[in-house]
Structure formats: C-alpha cells, structure tokens
Amino acid sequence: MNLPRQDRFLPEASHTDAAASGPDAETIGPGLDDLLRHAVAIGAVLVLLLPAARGFSDTFGWMPLWLLVMPLCAWWALHRFRLPANERDTQAQPRPRRRIGEQARRRRPASPRRKHSQAA
C-alpha cells in the first residue's frame, strides 16, 4: 500500500514546479528525505516503546535527543528551515504602513528641584 505522501513543507506546486519557480527553490533529494523520514519514525517508536530509549547514556547523553530531536532537526534543515504551511497564512494580510512624518521631538529635561523650600 503505497500512498502518496503529503509534503507540508513545500508549497502546493510539485518539486519540478518549485525548482522552476525561483533561484532559491531547489528540489530536495527524495532518497535523503525518505531516509530522514524513516529515521524520525523509528526514533519515535523507540522512544515510545523502550524505556531505556527515554533515559540517559554515559556515552551518548540524553537518548531522545539522538533518536528523535536530531533526525527532526536534520529533516527540517533539509527542507531549508521552512515552517509548515498554515491555512490562515495562505491569504497574506498586508502589513500596516509606517508613518512617513518626522521623528518626534524629545522632551526638555525637567528643571532641577530644590532640596529645601525657601521660607520667607
């Protein structure tokens, strides 16, 4: 059962359309993408099912870091640190314009206060 995967990190265009759309839009190697996707899945299963995989090792340190977090970071880096598309972000809202006037003037420093009142 080979279902088409949904790539949430790329725009809705295919990999070939993404490569043609701009200079910094490059195709991602499917072999490395699949390898990292499998590494994340295997690491998640190990962390969930094996108590030793949730612990600390003298050699490697905190095991979930190496089994789950590092493959996730590598996978994210492979996709050039793109964030998943949000439905609200598809219709970009215009930013408010900056004011064009001059900078506001600074206030005058307060006059020094007298320590003692002057009595008559």
Side-chain angles (χ1 to χ4, degrees):
M1 183 164 157
N2 198 359
L3 298 174
R5 67 175 185 217
Q6 295 175 345
D7 202 351
R8 296 180 310 221
F9 294 98
L10 291 177
E12 300 215 0
S14 67
H15 290 292
T16 57
D17 293 338
S21 67
D24 41 56
E26 297 177 7
T27 59
I28 297 169
L32 187 56
D33 187 45
D34 289 340
L35 176 74
L36 288 172
R37 191 180 298 246
H38 283 77
V40 168
I42 291 170
V45 167
L46 286 174
V47 168
L48 289 173
L49 296 179
L50 294 175
R54 287 176 248 151
F56 185 83
S57 168
D58 290 334
T59 306
F60 297 110
W62 191 50
M63 294 303 289
L65 175 75
W66 297 106
L67 293 173
L68 190 59
V69 177
M70 288 299 180
L72 275 171
C73 287
W75 190 28
W76 190 31
L78 179 68
H79 288 274
R80 297 187 185 264
F81 301 104
R82 290 188 192 113
L83 295 176
N86 207 354
E87 291 178 13
R88 289 180 283 155
D89 292 340
T90 56
Q91 297 175 353
Q93 297 174 355
R95 288 184 168 180
R97 293 183 53 157
R98 293 184 64 162
R99 295 186 345 187
I100 300 178
E102 295 180 17
Q103 180 178 354
R105 294 184 185 171
R106 305 263 183 227
R107 293 178 64 185
R108 245 190 299 174
S111 60
R113 293 187 178 191
R114 297 183 178 139
K115 290 186 179 182
H116 302 287
S117 63
Q118 293 180 345

